[in-house]
Amino acid sequence: MTKVVNYISEAFEELKSNVTWPAWSEVQRLTIVVAVFSVVFALATWGVDEAFAKALAGFFNWLKA
């Protein structure tokens, strides 16, 4: 158990002393960029899914006829 506690304390010490944290304004800007790209990617995925669903539905309706 002492190894786990030692590992966690060393990890926190590394985060405090060796990690370069970005400025708060940069964090906000990058968060907005990630959110926008996430929405765009979700809409693109939805659009491709809808297109394939309609194409497959049309294909199977064509086969039934």
Side-chain angles (χ1 to χ4, degrees), residues 1-21:
M1 185 66 180
T2 58
K3 287 184 179 182
V4 173
V5 172
N6 189 28
Y7 174 78
I8 292 172
S9 66
E10 286 178 5
F12 275 113
E13 183 60 36
E14 176 127 5
L15 285 172
K16 288 192 305 187
S17 61
N18 296 338
V19 175
T20 304
W21 296 99

Side-chain angles (χ1 to χ4, degrees), residues 26-59:
E26 186 178 4
V27 171
Q28 289 175 330
R29 182 180 60 83
L30 292 176
T31 300
I32 291 170
V33 169
V34 168
V36 167
F37 276 112
S38 295
V39 170
V40 168
F41 188 73
L43 289 173
T45 303
W46 172 78
V48 169
D49 181 55
E50 285 295 316
F52 276 118
K54 287 183 182 181
L56 283 174
F59 176 73

